[in-house]
Amino acid sequence: MTRKHLLGIQDLDREEILEILDTAESFQEVSTRPIKKVPTLRGKTIINLFFEASTRTRTSFEIAGKRLSADVVNVSASTSSVSKGETLIDTAKTLDAMAADCVVIRHSSSGAPNTLARLTKASIINAGDGAHEHPTQALLDAFTIRMRKGRLDDLKVAIIGDVAHSRVARSNVHLLTKFGTHVWLCSTPTLMPQGVQHMVCENRHFLHTTNSMDEAVRAADVIMMLRVQFERMNESFFPSIREYFRYFGLSRRRVEQAKPDVIIMHPGPMNRGVEIATDVADGPYSVILDQVAAGVAVRMSILYLLLGG
Ligand code: NCD
């Protein structure tokens, strides 16, 4: 891979995606060793710059960097000078002056990683920007799907929930439609982004939208549930949680409408009882913890490929 930054899935091609997934496969084994470390990125400095809350993404980037022997520094907005009013640009220049090799950024504004990529010498990795993209999540989702289904093409993937606020949904649409998988976005009309039918993606005819969970789930190979992002809502998007769960929540009864070998995914964190029932989240079809495990291997692969190992 000759790329310096990972800003989104939209501009990756299939070969690059497969290279990331194949490399991740070879890194999986490192996490099973008694000493979980390889010297690949010794002497490289990675800064995790998180302006929004995160458990999985931040921790797995830190673990991935450390398993590759890089020095990893965590900066969170609430304890940095951002809370004193410093701009993103000044923060970026400061980190650059310390000769960081890579900055992993999560920000509530779409495009923040692109701005950073223009201003710093470091490689920039987008760890989620607003409702725009979350490329490493889509890559770990693809890794999990490929591991379970043996392929990324010719599947039916239902992505259900708060699509409007979801960067995970967008990155997954870009990735899966590139491989010729049918993606069904399903939500209440209020949580479906305006103009989604015209969303720019390769192979537009693989993208479908529906307000009917029956239609989305019927004969699905993969069901991916999305968290209702209450923190991004300044008004009410549905009458009550009870009603939301009734029409868009994943219960055991709904799972039965899918294929018998369906897998259930969720990027986390979950709102149990809102978008997903507890017995489904912890049940036999759930691969939610496999996604978390894949996150470490996929992020090791990305760090390795971008930083030139
Ligand atoms: C997602 C995110 O932050 O976009 N979570 C994650 O990275 N695992 C989805 C979410 O917050 O609901």
Side-chain angles (χ1 to χ4, degrees), residues 167-178:
R167 49 202 178 201
V168 175
R170 274 177 193 72
S171 288
N172 266 294
V173 165
H174 285 304
L175 195 153
L176 294 167
T177 57
K178 277 183 207 283

Side-chain angles (χ1 to χ4, degrees), residues 224-242:
M224 190 182 291
M225 298 308 294
L226 300 173
R227 183 174 65 90
V228 178
Q229 305 206 5
F230 291 107
E231 78 279 16
R232 298 188 206 277
M233 298 179 182
N234 46 18
E235 56 186 306
S236 189
F237 284 78
F238 45 83
S240 69
I241 287 177
R242 222 174 110 178

Side-chain angles (χ1 to χ4, degrees), residues 46-263:
I46 298 168
I47 298 182
N48 273 332
L49 182 60
F50 277 62
F51 293 89
E52 280 189 338
S54 173
T55 303
R56 280 150 272 264
T57 308
R58 199 199 56 73
T59 313
S60 65
F61 263 114
E62 182 174 353
I63 291 175
K66 288 184 170 164
R67 290 200 178 151
L68 294 171
S69 300
D71 297 310
V72 185
V73 179
N74 294 308
V75 182
S76 71
S78 56
T79 55
S80 72
S81 290
V82 173
S83 65
K84 299 179 183 171
E86 186 171 64
T87 64
L88 174 64
I89 294 172
D90 284 332
T91 305
K93 286 182 179 159
T94 305
L95 301 177
D96 219 20
M98 294 184 213
D101 296 289
C102 177
V103 177
V104 179
I105 178 175
R106 167 168 288 191
H107 201 282
S108 57
S109 298
S110 300
N114 303 63
T115 305
L116 222 58
R118 279 197 304 275
L119 294 170
T120 62
K121 291 194 275 300
S123 282
I124 305 298
I125 299 178
N126 180 1
D129 62 331
H132 176 223
E133 279 233 37
H134 191 349
T136 62
Q137 180 69 43
L139 287 160
L140 75 88
D141 290 340
F143 186 89
T144 309
I145 294 172
R146 193 174 73 160
M147 203 163 72
R148 289 299 183 127
K149 297 285 163 202
R151 64 183 198 279
L152 286 174
D153 61 314
D154 199 24
L155 294 165
K156 176 177 178 181
V157 178
I159 303 182
I160 301 164
D162 184 355
V163 182
H165 298 110
S166 181
R167 49 202 178 201
V168 175
R170 274 177 193 72
S171 288
N172 266 294
V173 165
H174 285 304
L175 195 153
L176 294 167
T177 57
K178 277 183 207 283
F179 283 90
T181 265
H182 288 275
V183 179
W184 285 78
L185 295 175
C186 171
S187 191
T188 71
T190 52
L191 288 174
M192 190 66 90
Q194 301 245 316
V196 68
Q197 292 81 356
H198 310 293
M199 182 174 164
V200 179
C201 67
E202 251 174 81
N203 305 324
R204 181 62 199 74
H205 59 281
F206 286 112
L207 179 61
H208 316 268
T209 58
T210 178
N211 300 131
S212 153
M213 195 155 168
D214 288 334
E215 190 178 21
V217 165
R218 195 179 308 127
D221 298 284
V222 177
I223 300 175
M224 190 182 291
M225 298 308 294
L226 300 173
R227 183 174 65 90
V228 178
Q229 305 206 5
F230 291 107
E231 78 279 16
R232 298 188 206 277
M233 298 179 182
N234 46 18
E235 56 186 306
S236 189
F237 284 78
F238 45 83
S240 69
I241 287 177
R242 222 174 110 178
E243 185 158 331
Y244 182 84
F245 183 79
R246 187 158 159 222
Y247 289 101
F248 297 98
L250 191 63
S251 62
R252 242 199 335 222
R253 190 182 58 80
R254 291 281 194 200
V255 174
E256 283 160 15
Q257 295 174 291
K259 289 215 176 128
D261 62 347
V262 67
I263 57 170

